[in-house]
Amino acid sequence: MAFNFIEIEKKKSRIIAAVFFVIVVFYFTGVWLLILFARSIMMSLAMQKFVLFLPPARLTQQVLGASFAIGIMHWLLSVHNVIERMCAAVDARPTDEQDEYHLYFRNIVNEVSVAIGGRHIDPMVIHRSDLNAFAVADFSGRAVIGVTEGLLCILNRIQIESVVAHEAAHIISGDCLATTVTSALGEFYEELFGVINGLGTLLRAFVSREREYRADALAVRITRDPAGLAQALYQISSHWRGEGARGSRLSSIFIVNPRFEHVDEAGGFFADILSTHPPIRARIAVLAQMAHLSEEELDLRLKDFRRISPVLPHGVGFDDGAAFNRIMYPGIK
C-alpha cells in the first residue's frame, strides 16, 4: 500500500480518469445502440426485410461529442457538494454538543486524527440502531467519518477506535475520495430513485475489495490492536447493519455492506468484480492471525464480551440495559 503522497495522488488520478472514461463510454454506447436499432428498424420496414443499418461516421462523431458533454454534466452534478449530499443520503448529522455519547465519539475521532498526522476529520452520526460506519471525502481535502448510534451504544472504546482508524485509513490512503466519487456517480442515483442502474454496476468494479484489507491493516498500525477491529467487525456483521434503511444502497462507503449479499461472502473473479467488500470471515481471520489468536480464542473473547458504558457510572454496561435504552429512548439520559 502506497503512503507516498505523490503515489497516492497518481493512484487517485488514474482511478478518477478511468471512471470518467467509463461514464462517457456508457452514454455513447447507449445512444449509439439506440440509433442503430431505430435506423435498422426503419430501414427494415421500408425494405420489408431485416437490415442492420450502421450510423454514419459523422453521426457517430456527434454522438461521441454529446456523450462527452453529458459525461461532464453528470460528473459536475454528482461531485458538487458531494459530502453534504452523501451524508444527507445516509441521514448522517453533525455530532450534538449536548450528547455525551457524541462527545465521546468526537474525542475518538480527534485522537485518531492526531495519530495519522493531524488530518482534520469531521465526525457525524447516523441516528439509527444498526451497526455500521462510513467515510467520505471531497476534492477540497475535507473528510467525514460517520457512525451509527447503534455502533456507539454496543461497541466498546477500543472497538470504536478500530472502526474509526479503519475509516481514517481509507482517507489518508486516497481510497476514500475515489470511492466517494464512484459512489456519488452511480450508487447515489440508485439510492435516489430506488432502482438498480447499469452505470452503478459498472462503476462498482472500480471499488476494489482489496482496499478493505489494506484499511484493516493500516487501522491495526494506528491502534496496535488487531483483536479490537476483529471483534468490531464480528459485532457489526452479527447485528442489523442497515439493510432496508436510508442510504443502504451506498454500500461502497461503509465499513460493511449494509445489505447482505451472497456475492460479498464469495470468492473468485466475478465476486471480486461485483462486490465492494471481501468476506467478513476472511477479514476477521486475517486480523485474528495478526493478533496471534485462533478463531476459537477470538470467539471465546466475544462470548465473554460485556460492554461498559463510557458515560454512565463505572460498571454499568449493556447487560444492565443502558445501551438498549440509549437506542430505543434517545431522549432519556
Side-chain angles (χ1 to χ4, degrees):
M1 179 176 180
F3 295 101
N4 179 275
F5 178 78
I6 295 176
E7 288 301 319
I8 289 173
E9 289 301 309
K10 286 181 179 179
K11 176 185 174 184
K12 287 192 296 186
S13 299
R14 286 194 298 267
I15 293 175
I16 290 171
V19 166
F20 181 74
F21 174 76
V22 168
I23 291 173
V24 173
V25 170
F26 176 81
Y27 284 118
F28 171 78
T29 302
V31 175
W32 191 85
L33 287 175
L34 183 63
I35 293 173
L36 170 67
F37 289 131
R39 290 171 66 90
S40 297
I41 290 172
M42 292 175 61
M43 292 301 298
S44 297
L45 291 174
M47 300 177 65
Q48 296 185 341
K49 65 176 182 178
F50 178 74
V51 177
L52 187 63
F53 198 82
L54 295 176
R58 183 175 180 80
L59 182 57
T60 298
Q61 292 174 354
Q62 292 173 344
V63 171
L64 180 59
S67 300
F68 189 81
I70 294 171
I72 291 177
M73 288 189 292
H74 182 170
W75 181 280
L76 294 176
L77 177 65
S78 299
V79 302
H80 179 65
N81 289 333
V82 65
I83 287 182
E84 287 75 11
R85 293 167 67 243
M86 296 291 278
C87 287
V90 301
D91 199 24
R93 306 170 194 175
T95 53
D96 183 353
E97 296 298 327
Q98 304 303 314
D99 190 306
E100 292 176 306
Y101 278 79
H102 289 198
L103 295 177
Y104 163 69
F105 169 55
R106 176 183 284 275
N107 288 338
I108 292 175
V109 172
N110 289 339
E111 289 171 7
V112 171
S113 175
V114 171
I116 63 174
R119 172 73 182 270
H120 178 73
I121 299 171
D122 294 320
M124 300 193 79
V125 176
I126 300 174
H127 295 262
R128 288 201 310 263
S129 60
D130 57 303
L131 272 66
N132 222 319
F134 74 94
V136 289
D138 64 14
F139 288 101
S140 72
R142 185 185 169 200
V144 165
I145 290 178
V147 299
T148 61
E149 291 274 13
L151 186 140
L152 288 179
C153 291
I154 292 179
L155 301 193
N156 63 25
R157 183 179 179 88
I158 185 57
Q159 292 167 358
I160 297 174
E161 286 177 352
S162 297
V163 168
V164 171
H166 171 97
E167 299 302 342
H170 282 307
I171 293 169
I172 63 175
S173 69
D175 288 341
C176 187
L177 176 60
T179 301
T180 302
V181 169
T182 54
S183 184
L185 290 167
E187 292 175 337
F188 177 81
Y189 297 100
E190 291 184 8
E191 177 66 28
L192 187 64
F193 299 112
V195 295
I196 297 175
N197 67 75
L199 181 58
T201 302
L202 285 173
L203 296 182
R204 206 169 283 122
F206 286 91
V207 181
S208 170
R209 288 174 126 190
E210 296 302 314
R211 83 195 197 290
E212 295 297 336
Y213 288 118
R214 294 195 299 267
D216 287 347
L218 184 50
V220 171
R221 290 177 58 181
I222 295 170
T223 64
R224 301 183 185 277
D225 192 339
L229 183 54
Q231 292 170 1
L233 289 174
Y234 181 90
Q235 295 278 23
I236 292 170
S237 63
S238 60
H239 288 76
W240 177 46
R241 53 199 193 192
E243 182 165 7
R246 183 174 173 179
S248 61
R249 293 179 184 270
L250 303 175
S251 60
S252 300
I253 67 173
F254 286 95
I255 189 171
V256 172
N257 188 349
R259 298 178 295 169
F260 178 81
E261 297 180 346
H262 291 289
V263 69
D264 287 342
E265 302 307 313
F269 175 77
F270 289 106
D272 289 343
I273 293 295
L274 298 175
S275 177
T276 57
H277 293 75
I280 288 290
R281 293 302 302 182
R283 293 171 67 183
I284 292 174
V286 171
L287 291 164
Q289 184 178 22
M290 295 174 71
H292 304 291
L293 292 172
S294 67
E295 291 194 44
E296 292 75 17
E297 290 173 318
L298 187 61
D299 288 340
L300 184 60
R301 287 193 181 189
L302 288 165
K303 287 178 181 177
D304 292 337
F305 172 76
R306 183 174 182 271
R307 190 259 192 191
I308 303 299
S309 169
V311 298
L312 295 178
H314 181 69
V316 179
F318 182 76
D319 292 342
D320 300 303
F324 176 79
N325 289 334
R326 167 68 183 170
I327 295 172
M328 300 304 296
Y329 311 106
I332 299 177
K333 297 293 184 182

